[in-house]
Amino acid sequence: MKEQTLKHILDVGMQLMLEKGYNKLGINEVLDTAEIPKGSFYYYFKSKEDFGLKVIQYYSANTLQFVKQHLEDKSKDPRARLIDFFEGMKPIYQEKAYKEGCLLGNCSLELSDQAESFRNLVSNELNQWQSAIEACITEGQKSGSIKSGETAKDLANFILNSWEGALLRMKASKNPESYNNFVYFLDKYMI
């Protein structure tokens, strides 16, 4: 029961942080949306900052699991895995009317200068995502399905940075143009 309640609060927090950001989100809104008493919130979280950090960790862990599920799919060659993953993400953003983007990217902009704990966490989580992309690229370079002109680490870094940038521009413009541009150049030139 405790794990289900915690998961429920984190799910609610994740959605609210994607919609509103951390600073505009109040504890009472979390309590009302999750339909829990204040005591329950403080049973699981020491403070709003602790809550925000745990929501970021929860989001990143779930997303990383999703990323790895696609990038480690041995039924496809590594190049196809990368393209299919990014192509497959477009409907998710479309469904949200291009409003939410990526929680890690959003929190990087909003919170990295606010508290060292947020900056360190977001940076570490993005590094894990980059490692998953790098592993797929390394495999693709060994098999010849991905170009070997650059190191897998440098390509993974560039791809993650480009993806996060495309999501930020998509969110600002409320259309998929930057995302489509990212996938096009990823497919045609980067890998």
Side-chain angles (χ1 to χ4, degrees):
M1 183 70 170
K2 288 180 184 179
E3 284 183 34
Q4 288 176 319
T5 301
L6 176 60
K7 183 182 179 315
H8 174 66
I9 298 168
L10 291 171
D11 282 330
V12 166
M14 183 175 65
Q15 190 55 48
L16 290 172
M17 281 177 63
L18 276 165
E19 291 171 8
K20 298 176 151 273
Y22 173 81
N23 288 318
K24 290 183 181 176
L25 179 61
I27 299 293
N28 287 335
E29 185 172 7
V30 175
L31 300 174
D32 291 345
T33 305
E35 299 178 338
I36 59 166
K38 198 172 205 171
S40 292
F41 180 87
Y42 287 106
Y43 175 80
Y44 293 104
F45 311 102
K46 295 177 213 160
S47 63
K48 182 181 176 189
E49 182 177 326
D50 182 45
F51 167 72
L53 292 167
K54 286 186 172 138
V55 168
I56 292 168
Q57 288 173 319
Y58 179 73
Y59 170 87
S60 183
N62 287 326
T63 303
L64 184 60
Q65 182 180 359
F66 181 74
V67 168
K68 285 183 174 185
Q69 177 184 343
H70 288 275
L71 298 186
E72 295 174 358
D73 178 1
K74 302 296 183 190
S75 69
K76 299 176 185 173
D77 74 68
R79 187 177 194 288
R81 289 182 226 160
L82 276 167
I83 299 301
D84 290 351
F85 169 74
F86 290 112
E87 281 285 350
M89 292 297 295
K90 282 197 292 189
I92 294 169
Y93 298 117
Q94 184 177 16
E95 181 182 310
K96 304 285 185 173
Y98 311 109
K99 292 179 181 175
E100 294 178 1
C102 167
L103 187 64
L104 291 183
N106 297 349
C107 288
S108 178
L109 285 173
E110 181 183 10
L111 302 171
S112 289
D113 292 332
Q114 186 171 316
E116 196 72 13
S117 57
F118 284 115
R119 186 192 68 72
N120 287 331
L121 178 61
V122 170
S123 179
N124 289 336
E125 297 302 317
L126 286 170
N127 287 339
Q128 290 183 56
W129 292 15
Q130 181 179 323
S131 293
I133 295 169
E134 182 181 344
C136 185
I137 291 170
T138 298
E139 187 182 339
Q141 286 178 330
K142 287 179 182 174
S143 71
S145 68
I146 295 177
K147 298 173 188 174
S148 299
E150 304 296 332
T151 68
K153 182 177 183 172
D154 287 344
L155 272 175
N157 187 27
F158 186 78
I159 289 168
L160 181 60
N161 293 342
S162 298
W163 181 35
E164 288 294 332
L167 292 176
L168 289 174
R169 290 203 59 199
M170 174 198 73
K171 186 177 172 184
S173 65
K174 303 293 185 263
N175 70 58
E177 186 178 322
S178 61
Y179 197 94
N180 292 338
N181 183 264
F182 162 73
V183 173
Y184 171 80
F185 280 95
L186 175 69
D187 187 25
K188 188 153 178 110
Y189 298 107
M190 292 198 294
I191 60 171

